[in-house]
Amino acid sequence: MEGRGGNVRGRFAPTPSGLLHLGNAGTALLAWLQVRSRGGEIVLRMEDLDQPRCKPEWAARTLDDMRWLGLDWDEGPDAGGPCGPYEQSKRGDRYAEALDKLERAGLLYRCYCSRADLLSVGNAPHGLQSEGPAYPGTCRKLSEGERMAREAEKTPSLRFAMPDRPVAFLDGMAGPMAYPAGAGGDFVVKRADGIVGYQLAVVVDDAAMGITDVLRGWDLLDSTPRQLLLAEALGEPAPRYAHAPLVLGPDGKRLAKRHGDIAVSALRESGVKPEAIVGLLGWLYGLLGKSEPVPASALISSFHTARIPRGSVQLPGDWLKQVRTMG
Ligand code: GLU
C-alpha cells in the first residue's frame, strides 16, 4: 500500500503524559529509520486525548528531545501539513463521525459497568495483558428493559462488539500473528466521561493521515487485531504494522524511574550527547557492531527489520557510564 503521492508514510505518535524516555526514543528512532531508509514521509501526531493526564510542557519537550536526537518529521503540530490538526485533542469531530458510522452499522453497544471494570479492561492501549481480564460482555446481552433501567441511573460508555471470527496478520517484525475470535473482549471506544478510546482514535487518524506503515512498541502488538477490525468496520485501509522490541532495564524489567535517568531530557541535561544515545540504541537493536557515538542518519543504510531482535532488548548494567563517556 502506498500513501498520497505514492510515498511510504510513517508516524510518531507520542502521548505527552510524561517525558520521552530511552524506550520511546528507541521506538521513534526505528520508525524514523524505517521511513527515511525508503525515502518516505513522517507525520508527528500528538496523542493527547486523555487531557487530564497530558501536559503541554511534556508535549513541547518531547518534540524538542526528538529533534535533539536528530529525528525529524514532515508534518506535525509545529510543521503543519494537509492532514492537520495533528493533536488528537483537536480532532473530536472526526472521532464523532466514526462513532456515528459504527453505531449506525449496529457495531457498538452501551455499557453501564462500573468504573473499576472499565479501568481494568477498557482503554489501556498497551496490550491485552496489561488490561487485565477481557470484558465479559455483560452489557452486550442486556434486554431493552434492562438497558432502559440502567440508562436512567448512569451515563454509559460505548463498546465495540468484537465480531465472532479470528484475526490473522503478518507483522513486519513479530512475523505471522493469529488471534482467536473476540481476543481481548469488546473494548471501549468512548468512555462515560466522553473521552474517545485510544483504539478508535488511532485507526481514524492513521487512515485520515494516509499512514502506510506503523512501527511502534511491542506492547501494542495485541492492539493490532482490534485496530484491523475497526479499520475494516469503518471501510478504511489498514496500514502495515511492525512491532519493535521494548527496551528493558538491566534487571530485565520495563523501564522505570528506578533505572535512573531514563528521560532523554535528563540525559541531555547531564551532558550526554545525542550520538551516544543513538549509538547505544543502534547497538541494542543489532544495527551496530558496538555501542559507539553515531548520528541517527548513519544508521539509515544498515536499517533492516530482519536485523532487529523480537520482543525486547536489555540495557547493559553500565549503560549510563557508557553514554556518559561517549563524546
Ligand atoms: N500513543 C501511543 C503511545 O505513546 C502509541 C500509539 C501507537 O503507536 O499506535 O504509546
Side-chain angles (χ1 to χ4, degrees):
M1 192 178 90
E2 289 180 334
R4 292 181 186 87
N7 267 343
V8 165
R9 277 170 68 87
R11 41 77 157 181
F12 299 135
T15 299
S17 55
L19 292 170
L20 187 81
H21 65 59
L22 219 49
N24 318 130
T27 304
L29 172 66
L30 292 178
W32 184 85
L33 290 171
Q34 188 197 40
V35 174
R36 292 293 183 236
S37 64
R38 291 152 73 198
E41 296 152 8
I42 304 183
V43 172
L44 191 142
R45 180 172 73 232
M46 200 46 82
E47 302 215 321
D48 56 354
L49 268 185
D50 200 347
Q51 285 280 307
R53 291 180 54 231
C54 296
K55 284 196 193 163
E57 48 284 26
W58 285 334
R61 275 176 81 175
T62 295
L63 299 193
D64 205 38
D65 288 342
M66 298 208 350
R67 272 190 219 101
W68 177 77
L69 285 169
L71 310 180
D72 62 345
W73 51 93
D74 306 288
E75 296 168 33
D78 53 343
C83 304
Y86 293 93
E87 292 103 335
Q88 289 192 324
S89 56
K90 298 183 182 158
R91 300 179 61 83
D93 49 342
R94 275 90 168 169
Y95 310 138
E97 214 175 283
L99 285 169
D100 196 49
K101 190 166 179 183
L102 295 173
E103 196 151 34
R104 276 187 282 113
L107 297 171
L108 304 185
Y109 64 90
R110 292 166 175 235
C111 172
Y112 306 90
C113 292
S114 72
R115 184 164 166 73
D117 288 343
L118 295 184
L119 281 178
S120 67
V121 300
N123 202 30
H126 293 283
L128 301 180
Q129 274 142 22
S130 61
E131 291 176 18
Y135 180 65
T138 319
C139 293
R140 189 167 173 172
K141 303 167 208 136
L142 294 182
S143 67
E144 194 52 21
E146 286 169 322
R147 202 181 66 72
M148 300 275 277
R150 306 235 169 132
E151 191 76 14
E153 287 161 21
K154 203 165 176 291
T155 311
S157 59
L158 283 178
R159 282 184 190 273
F160 180 72
M162 287 285 273
D164 189 23
R165 59 191 153 83
V167 179
F169 61 94
L170 183 64
D171 188 88
M173 289 189 192
M177 300 298 301
Y179 288 81
D186 299 343
F187 57 93
V188 171
V189 286
K190 188 178 179 191
R191 293 185 348 200
D193 62 6
I195 293 182
V196 171
Y198 152 77
Q199 312 283 355
L200 182 92
V202 94
V203 168
V204 168
D205 290 345
D206 282 341
M209 295 177 179
I211 302 302
T212 61
D213 290 81
V214 168
L215 189 154
R216 59 187 179 187
W218 196 271
D219 51 347
L220 291 167
L221 184 58
D222 289 343
S223 279
T224 309
R226 297 168 170 199
Q227 292 173 16
L228 289 169
L229 290 168
L230 270 180
E232 187 186 286
L234 288 167
E236 298 288 2
R240 286 179 288 255
Y241 291 95
H243 289 86
L246 299 181
V247 177
L248 304 179
D251 55 359
K253 304 229 167 81
R254 289 283 292 262
L255 280 185
K257 286 218 172 65
R258 67 172 179 283
H259 294 120
D261 278 348
I262 55 162
V264 170
S265 54
L267 292 167
R268 178 180 173 179
E269 276 152 27
S270 74
V272 171
K273 300 278 183 297
E275 293 82 6
I277 297 177
V278 169
L280 170 72
L281 291 166
W283 167 71
L284 282 174
Y285 292 136
L287 302 176
L288 282 177
K290 63 180 168 82
S291 182
E292 57 185 333
V294 289
S297 54
L299 297 177
I300 292 178
S301 58
S302 58
F303 177 79
H304 198 284
T305 46
R307 299 179 73 159
I308 296 168
R310 288 165 56 100
S312 60
V313 294
Q314 196 167 327
L315 285 168
D318 65 346
W319 73 273
L320 194 53
K321 200 168 132 225
Q322 273 188 36
V323 291
R324 285 206 170 122
T325 51
M326 269 194 261

